[in-house]
Amino acid sequence: MSGANSSSLSPRCFILNGIPGLEATHIWISLPFCFMYIIAVVGNCGLIYLISHEEALHRPMYYFLALLSFTDVTLCTTTVPNMLCIFWFNLKEIDFNACLAQMFFVHMLTGMESGVLMLMALDRYVAICYPLRYATILTNPVITKAGLATFLRSVMLIIPFTFLTKRLPYCRGNLISHTYCDHMSVAKVSCGNFKVNAIYGLLAALLIGGFDITCIAVSYTMILWAVVSLSSTDACHKAFSTCTSHICAIGITYVPALFTIFTHRFWGGNIPHHVHIIIANLYLMFPPTLNPIVYGVKTKQIQEGVMKLIFKEKGVPGMK
């Protein structure tokens, strides 16, 4: 396997080294990731199919959930097959432009996921604080525009990553100590000054994640205020139960994401590199794997839709 000439300022390819120091256990490490990927694909595709075919789920909350599922399954598909090729077949070479493309899609889709979670928080806010106006506020055109705006925001903020990374000189070599092309992992291979990359990466994270977390926090503060003012205990319990799955999804997404973002820039030298890489991979795998499980367990309408679909396929009388 030939790498790029170390004297080249723009290498033909990069070499993804997997998890340095744990090469002997790559096969064993790959097994849980493969298992999680299968669950993620089956679970998210199942959710999308269920929401598209079950009329009772044709509501804004579930449209946003379908968008989240599509984003999640696309996100893990951009990295896991390539990672498994490294672990199973030692296929570590990736074309320079393909690496930049993977880097763009990974960060664009993580930004998109954050935006969808923010939209889902706003959906819960409208549903609980303005229940009588819910259907008139969140119409299909509004949902479409909100999803499109979230997509365009992520694309426009992440595109500069590609140009900032491509402009760097790569005269030290082409070995990336990672399982996929992460923005800062690629930039650190450069022999040039990548300070602009680090600053813009942090700025993009704040503009996307910081804005979304703020909107989510404000939405749930308003929801909590509205729920506390309810006189009925049953109404309070019902309002909280509709938000439980979404709160779980927020925690699953943001905790490993914030760890990955800040360790690259502030605490990278204090954390073993293989630990950072494993967590960076889990950060991409946890939400796609766990979100379908969380929503399936916590959302009664989805459970009913699954049972309805199963009995309908079996031809049980009375189940339409």
Side-chain angles (χ1 to χ4, degrees):
M1 182 164 48
S2 61
N5 191 319
S6 62
S7 64
S8 174
L9 297 181
S10 182
R12 179 182 64 83
C13 66
F14 284 118
I15 306 299
L16 292 168
N17 202 30
I19 306 177
L22 298 180
E23 288 85 357
T25 58
H26 272 180
I27 291 293
W28 297 107
I29 294 172
S30 71
L31 297 180
F33 281 109
C34 181
F35 182 64
M36 291 169 70
Y37 180 61
I38 292 171
I39 293 175
V41 171
V42 173
N44 285 290
C45 290
L47 266 181
I48 294 170
Y49 178 83
L50 179 66
I51 292 169
S52 64
H53 283 75
E54 183 56 51
E55 190 173 347
L57 300 179
H58 291 177
R59 294 167 54 192
M61 172 184 172
Y62 301 108
Y63 291 149
F64 287 134
L65 179 56
L67 181 57
L68 181 67
S69 293
F70 176 78
T71 303
D72 279 344
V73 76
T74 309
L75 174 60
C76 60
T77 300
T78 61
T79 57
V80 177
N82 188 59
M83 180 203 313
L84 295 179
C85 286
I86 295 171
F87 290 163
W88 291 348
F89 310 112
N90 204 36
L91 298 175
K92 300 182 176 182
E93 186 174 300
I94 183 170
D95 181 78
F96 179 72
N97 290 321
C99 182
L100 295 181
Q102 185 186 53
M103 179 186 70
F104 167 77
F105 281 109
V106 165
H107 292 287
M108 186 273 288
L109 289 167
T110 53
M112 183 70 183
E113 182 178 51
S114 175
V116 175
L117 287 174
M118 181 263 293
L119 293 177
M120 294 175 78
L122 295 176
D123 167 80
R124 292 299 82 205
Y125 164 71
V126 175
I128 292 172
C129 297
Y130 301 98
L132 299 179
R133 297 174 56 195
Y134 180 69
T136 57
I137 293 174
L138 290 177
T139 60
N140 286 343
V142 169
I143 294 168
T144 303
K145 289 175 183 177
L148 183 59
T150 303
F151 171 74
L152 291 176
R153 180 196 66 166
S154 186
V155 169
M156 296 306 294
L157 286 173
I158 299 303
I159 277 180
F161 280 12
T162 307
F163 298 105
L164 289 173
T165 306
K166 193 168 186 176
R167 72 178 176 84
L168 293 171
Y170 296 90
C171 48
R172 290 180 186 166
N174 60 351
L175 184 65
I176 300 174
S177 295
H178 214 303
T179 56
Y180 63 88
C181 292
D182 173 73
H183 174 226
M184 287 309 299
S185 295
V186 176
K188 286 180 178 179
V189 176
S190 167
C191 57
N193 187 347
F194 55 83
K195 186 177 291 186
V196 175
N197 293 67
I199 293 172
Y200 183 78
L202 187 59
L203 178 63
L206 290 173
L207 288 174
I208 295 176
F211 176 80
D212 293 344
I213 290 173
T214 301
C215 289
I216 290 169
V218 171
S219 296
Y220 274 98
T221 300
M222 299 298 290
I223 288 170
L224 185 61
W225 183 269
V227 169
V228 168
S229 65
L230 294 174
S231 56
S232 169
T233 304
D234 291 338
C236 289
H237 176 73
K238 184 177 180 181
F240 273 124
S241 66
T242 62
C243 300
T244 303
S245 54
H246 186 237
I247 293 171
C248 291
I250 291 169
I252 291 166
T253 301
Y254 282 113
V255 172
L258 292 173
F259 178 89
T260 302
I261 290 168
F262 288 108
T263 51
H264 252 314
R265 292 163 176 84
F266 303 115
W267 311 303
N270 300 322
I271 298 174
H273 194 52
H274 64 272
V275 173
H276 173 79
I277 294 174
I278 290 173
I279 292 177
N281 282 284
L282 290 175
Y283 145 60
L284 297 183
M285 287 304 303
F286 267 168
T289 304
L290 296 180
N291 282 344
I293 298 173
V294 168
Y295 280 99
V297 170
K298 294 288 186 180
T299 309
K300 184 180 178 181
Q301 290 87 346
I302 290 178
Q303 295 172 6
E304 291 174 350
V306 171
M307 296 305 297
K308 200 174 188 181
L309 196 63
I310 291 172
F311 285 116
K312 185 178 179 181
E313 291 296 328
K314 289 183 177 180
V316 177
M319 297 298 293
K320 295 183 180 180

